[in-house]
Amino acid sequence: MKFDFDLIIAGAGPVGLSVARLLAQRSATRALSVALVDQHAITPVGDPRTLTLSYGSRMLLEPLGWPDAATPIQCIHISQRGHFGRMLIDCRAHDLPALGYAVPYGALMRALTGNIGTIGSVRHLKRATARAPVQDAHGVTLPIETERGPQQLRARLLIHAAGGSSARASIEGARYSGRDYQQSALLGLVRVEMPRPCWAWERFTREGPLALLPVGGMRAADYALVWCGAPNDAQRRMACCDDALLAELGARFGQRMGRFIAIERRAVYALRLQRVEPCVQGRVTVIGNAAQTLHPVAGQGLNLGLRDAYALVDALAHAGPTPAALARFARRRRRDRTLTITMTDWLARAFSTRRAERFAPLYGAAFTLLECLPPAKRALVRQMMFGCRR
C-alpha cells in the first residue's frame, strides 16, 4: 500500500519539533519520512512565556538544539505566605550544575527549528491546519487545510503534538477529564533591586502560587513572573499602572530581593487541567499539550511532554512505525504521566483554596520535615527533574 510518509506529526511546537529531530538523529539506516504539520508561517518567537526546563530535559534537548539564552536555576526557595515552613533546594546537594533552566519560549523555538528545513527526511508544511484523522487497518489519512486548499496526507502513524479541536478528534471515544482551576496566570518580566543570581522562587499564597524565574543570564536583575490568582484579579493587575502593580507584588512576595522596580511584557492566560485517556488508539497517539495541559505550578508541563517525545522515539526505534510501537510507548509512559499530573493538580488545589488556610500549618510542617529527611527530599527532587523512568 502506498504511503506519503511513514509518520505525520501534527504540531510544530517544542514537543513536535523534538520528535522530528530525534527521529532524524536516531535512524541508524533509512530515516523515517516525516510530515511536520505547522499552523504557523514563521517560528513564533515573540511568545511572552518563559519556560522552566529541568536538568533532565536539558539532557534530552542538548543534542537537538540548546538555546544560548537559557539561565541556570541553581537554587529554588519554596515558601507559603503568612505561615512558617520553607524548603530550599540546592543543586550542589544533588551533584548537578543546575536543577533546571529558565528559557524564553522564542529562544527554545529558534534552537529547535534551526536547520529543520534541511533535514531530508522531514517535510515541514507551514500554514497548515490539521483536521480529524481517519485510520484504517493499514494507515492514517489526515486532512489538512493549506493556502492552496484542502489536502490529504497518508501515513503509517499519526502523532498529534498540539492541543485544539483537531487533537480532541484524533482518538475516537477518548475520555477528556479536566478541571477549571478558576485561576489565570499573570505573566511579566520584572526587575528587582537586589537580585540573587540563579535563584528561583515559588511562593504559595491563598489565591494561588507566585513564581519568579531568573532570566537574562547569570548577573541580570530580571525575573520572569508567573502570578496565579482569580481571573478578575489577574485582569485587574493586567490593567493597573506599574507602580500599583509592583507595590502589590512586593506585598505578596516580601523583601527577599529588595523592591520590585520595573515590569514589562504583561500577559494573562487562563489555567485549567486537561487529560486524555487513552493517549494511544491503533495508529494514532497524542503527546505533549494534546495529551495533557497542566497548571504551571512546579513547571512540569513541557518537561512531561519532552519525556513523552523521547519515549515515543525510543519505541519507534525498537518496533518501527507500527501500532505495536505506540502500544509500547503508552505502557512505558503510564506511570510517569499519572504521577506528574496527580502531583501538579494536588499542588495547584492544595495551596489555592479557602481550605489552604486551615491546612497551612500542616503544609509548613511537611516542608520542615522534608528539610530534615534528605533521602525523601532527594527522591522528590529527582522526580521533578527526571520523572519516573520505569
Side-chain angles (χ1 to χ4, degrees):
M1 181 170 289
K2 187 178 183 301
F3 294 96
D4 301 318
F5 303 94
D6 292 313
L7 300 166
I8 300 169
I9 302 173
V15 174
L17 286 165
S18 295
V19 173
R21 299 187 75 93
L22 279 166
L23 284 168
Q25 285 196 356
R26 291 285 295 269
S27 300
T29 54
R30 182 186 76 86
L32 297 176
S33 59
V34 173
L36 182 61
V37 180
D38 187 350
Q39 66 177 334
H40 300 288
I42 59 174
T43 301
V45 297
D47 192 297
R49 289 173 293 176
T50 295
L51 305 172
T52 307
L53 294 174
S54 67
Y55 184 77
S57 289
R58 174 166 187 166
M59 294 172 64
L60 301 181
L61 286 173
E62 200 155 28
L64 310 180
W66 183 250
D68 294 335
T71 301
I73 298 172
Q74 296 175 336
C75 291
I76 303 175
H77 186 282
I78 303 170
S79 64
Q80 51 178 347
R81 182 173 181 262
H83 298 281
F84 86 99
R86 67 105 170 111
M87 184 163 63
L88 182 64
I89 305 173
D90 191 322
C91 67
R92 293 171 296 183
H94 303 274
D95 298 320
L96 294 173
L99 299 166
Y101 301 83
V103 182
Y105 182 89
L108 179 61
M109 287 295 292
R110 281 192 296 269
L112 289 175
T113 303
N115 64 341
I116 193 80
T118 66
I119 300 175
S121 58
V122 178
R123 183 181 173 191
H124 192 181
L125 303 171
K126 297 184 178 181
R127 288 184 177 172
T129 303
R131 302 304 184 193
V134 178
Q135 64 171 308
D136 53 43
H138 304 288
V140 182
T141 300
L142 181 69
I144 62 172
E145 295 290 337
T146 71
E147 291 182 307
R148 298 181 180 181
Q151 297 182 29
Q152 290 193 337
L153 306 178
R154 180 75 174 162
R156 301 177 191 277
L157 300 178
L158 169 64
I159 302 165
H160 225 307
S165 58
S166 58
R168 293 179 68 90
S170 294
I171 297 183
E172 186 177 350
R175 301 182 304 278
Y176 288 83
S177 59
R179 188 190 311 279
D180 187 344
Y181 290 112
Q182 297 296 311
Q183 287 186 350
S184 292
L186 174 70
L187 309 185
L189 184 68
V190 297
R191 179 158 295 174
V192 299
E193 186 178 34
M194 298 182 297
R196 293 197 184 185
C198 302
W199 277 55
W201 308 81
E202 185 92 57
R203 186 146 171 83
F204 292 103
T205 74
R206 181 175 179 176
E207 60 184 19
L210 189 164
L212 290 169
L213 308 172
V215 294
M218 301 279 284
R219 298 182 180 179
D222 294 335
Y223 286 77
L225 169 69
V226 184
W227 189 356
C228 302
N232 289 342
D233 285 337
Q235 292 297 336
R236 174 182 59 79
R237 291 164 182 154
M238 181 73 183
C240 74
C241 69
D242 287 359
D243 288 344
L245 179 62
L246 293 171
E248 186 177 353
L249 176 59
R252 294 292 189 278
F253 180 76
Q255 300 297 312
R256 293 171 178 81
M257 293 190 290
R259 294 182 305 111
F260 291 92
I261 57 180
I263 184 168
E264 58 184 16
R265 302 180 195 174
R266 290 188 229 179
V268 171
Y269 288 86
L271 302 179
R272 64 173 292 109
L273 166 69
Q274 182 168 292
R275 178 181 185 178
V276 180
E277 289 294 347
C279 62
V280 168
Q281 183 185 74
R283 296 179 177 273
V284 177
T285 185
V286 290
I287 65 173
N289 276 346
Q292 63 265 326
T293 304
L294 307 185
H295 192 285
V297 65
Q300 290 297 296
L302 179 55
N303 295 295
L304 182 60
L306 291 171
R307 296 197 295 269
D308 285 347
Y310 186 86
L312 176 58
V313 172
D314 188 63
L316 291 168
H318 282 87
T322 63
L326 298 188
R328 175 191 179 107
F329 157 74
R331 288 192 301 271
R332 179 177 173 183
R333 295 299 300 141
R334 186 173 295 116
R335 184 176 180 185
D336 189 25
R337 286 188 73 224
T338 299
L339 186 58
T340 303
I341 292 170
T342 302
M343 177 182 66
T344 300
D345 181 46
W346 182 84
L347 284 171
R349 292 186 295 121
F351 291 94
S352 308
T353 66
R354 295 190 180 276
R355 290 182 300 173
E357 288 292 310
R358 188 191 317 164
F359 292 110
L362 182 61
Y363 300 151
F367 288 154
T368 303
L369 184 62
L370 281 170
E371 287 288 78
C372 298
L373 294 174
K377 182 178 176 182
R378 205 157 32 240
L380 175 63
V381 172
R382 291 195 68 81
Q383 169 64 31
M384 304 287 278
M385 286 194 294
F386 301 108
C388 182
R389 297 192 171 189
R390 288 183 290 176

